[in-house]
Amino acid sequence: MDGETTLVGVMGWPIAHSLSPAMHNAAFEALEMNWAYVPVPVRPGEVRAAVAGLRALGFRGCNVTVPHKEAVIPHLDCLPPRVARFGAVNTLIFDRGAPGGETEGTCTLTGENTDVQGFVRALREEGYDPAGRRVVIVGAGGAARGVIYGLCAVGAASVTVLNRTPERAQALVDDLAASAGETVLRAGALTPASLQRQAGEAELLVQSTTVGMWPHVEASIWPEGTPLPAHLAVCDLVYRPIETRLLRQAREAGAQAFDGLGMLIAQGALSFEMWTGIWPPVDVMRAACAQAPVSYTHLRAHETNCNISYAVFCLR
Ligand code: NAP
């Protein structure tokens, strides 16, 4: 780094676990760009000061992750209507006036969301188009929200949301109903029977819960001893480990299997392009993510937050 280095980063809390610095810095290095991507730890309640700080420090952009994706919105100068409808921002872009030009000294902050497009883009890059498909998604958290929004935007035929807490699935469906277009949205309780029934009728199964995440790598939403339908395509959003038990079950059944790194990299690549105007080398980004060390501190915190007890895992 030197005085000419352009800065971008990611703000969140906690942030030490993020794979984004490894992914983006590997791409900058491969393209021989004098850019650096830094993790920016921002406590809840500190978003206004953080945005002012990024602006003052001359950052070109910043990704925004949990828990700030909604809290950052009041601090933007510009929010495209499609992002405003979604209600969450994961990419900040600072546009500064050119030196000597009419707009010199100005700085406009725009909010974008690449999570929504990232899921669909990752599937399409694997040769799978979710348009017109019947989809069942397990989980109703933040990740599910982006995925469902993206599926509606490309015209999936139907999306059925199954969740351990069915009220949360229903609330998500109610919230997204106005943006669903032609896509039929349904909600239900996650049980072994409901999952098998819905998977039998669907073409694409998306796993968006934390089940199967390191260190509980032997857990799966799919009940043991029952083969997965071979006609299904299965996408697991978990990317630690890259190959989850669910994906192994899918491959053993002869089903198509897509891992969570695809979506992670696609949303990162879309942000990269918004800042630099260049589509990054996604194979380099994927290799950097796959090699990055696991942050044990984060994983312990996540375990505590979610109060995961796999001994009594609901589908076993
Ligand atoms: P979240 O908002 O905390 O939601 C967690 C979801 O998991 C909820 O639906 C929760 O159900 C469910 N869940 C947790 N433990 C469960 C269990 N034992 N049995 C059944 N359901 C359980 O989390 P998130 O932000 O949506 O993230 C979910 C996963 O997606 C994480 O593994 C994350 O790393 C991954 N993710 C991947 C990407 C990517 O780019 N690949 C992007 C974002 C997230 P309840 O509502 O009943 O609690």
Side-chain angles (χ1 to χ4, degrees):
M1 286 204 279
D2 57 28
E4 301 293 312
T5 305
T6 305
L7 291 175
V8 287
V10 55
M11 68 152 95
W13 188 268
I15 199 63
H17 67 286
S18 175
L19 291 175
S20 294
M23 168 165 94
H24 286 272
N25 286 323
F28 290 141
E29 201 177 322
L31 293 170
E32 297 184 2
M33 292 170 69
N34 189 6
W35 287 55
Y37 187 107
V38 293
V40 184
V42 176
R43 290 177 185 274
E46 298 286 345
V47 175
R48 173 193 288 273
V51 170
L54 295 171
R55 194 190 289 266
L57 291 168
F59 272 63
R60 166 64 177 141
C62 197
N63 284 129
V64 182
T65 189
V66 178
H68 304 314
K69 289 186 182 187
E70 291 159 29
V72 78
I73 290 176
H75 309 295
L76 304 170
D77 303 316
C78 179
L79 185 65
R82 75 193 133 70
V83 188
R85 271 198 299 278
F86 182 61
V89 157
N90 84 328
T91 304
L92 303 180
I93 305 151
F94 293 95
D95 285 306
R96 294 180 174 79
E102 272 182 26
T103 54
E104 182 174 3
T106 62
C107 177
T108 307
L109 174 56
T110 303
E112 273 290 348
N113 192 310
T114 64
D115 287 335
V116 171
Q117 289 176 63
F119 173 74
V120 170
R121 178 148 197 150
L123 284 186
R124 286 184 169 159
E125 279 182 4
E126 297 281 347
Y128 188 90
D129 192 347
R133 306 280 191 172
R134 297 182 302 278
V135 184
V136 58
I137 177 161
V138 179
R145 192 182 164 82
V147 166
I148 298 166
Y149 201 84
L151 287 168
C152 292
V154 297
S158 62
V159 179
T160 302
V161 188
L162 299 180
N163 198 44
R164 179 178 62 178
T165 311
E167 297 77 19
R168 207 173 166 199
Q170 189 60 55
L172 184 59
V173 163
D174 292 346
D175 200 32
L176 293 177
S179 315
E182 299 293 301
T183 306
V184 177
L185 297 182
R186 300 183 201 96
L190 174 64
T191 66
S194 70
L195 177 58
Q196 286 175 69
R197 189 173 58 252
Q198 294 296 338
E201 293 168 7
E203 295 161 274
L204 172 64
L205 167 66
V206 182
Q207 195 308 103
S208 80
T209 76
T210 48
V211 174
M213 227 172 92
W214 194 94
H216 304 287
V217 296
E218 287 308 316
S220 167
I221 57 156
W222 191 260
E224 276 310 309
T226 321
L228 257 150
H231 74 272
L232 266 187
V234 179
C235 179
D236 197 337
L237 298 195
V238 170
Y239 51 81
R240 291 285 204 186
I242 299 170
E243 174 157 274
T244 59
R245 183 174 187 107
L246 175 67
L247 292 185
R248 285 202 305 279
Q249 289 171 309
R251 290 194 176 106
E252 282 160 14
Q256 274 181 288
F258 306 115
D259 65 48
L261 266 193
M263 175 178 170
L264 185 79
I265 290 159
Q267 62 78 29
L270 288 160
S271 298
F272 188 105
E273 188 184 35
M274 286 174 182
W275 298 322
T276 65
I278 297 168
W279 185 251
V282 286
D283 50 340
V284 169
M285 293 169 105
R286 188 178 176 92
C289 287
Q291 286 160 17
V294 177
S295 163
Y296 296 96
T297 316
H298 158 66
L299 288 167
R300 273 202 302 276
H302 192 279
E303 218 174 336
T304 311
N305 289 346
C306 296
N307 192 18
I308 294 170
S309 171
Y310 283 81
V312 292
F313 172 51
C314 67
L315 291 181
R316 289 265 167 107

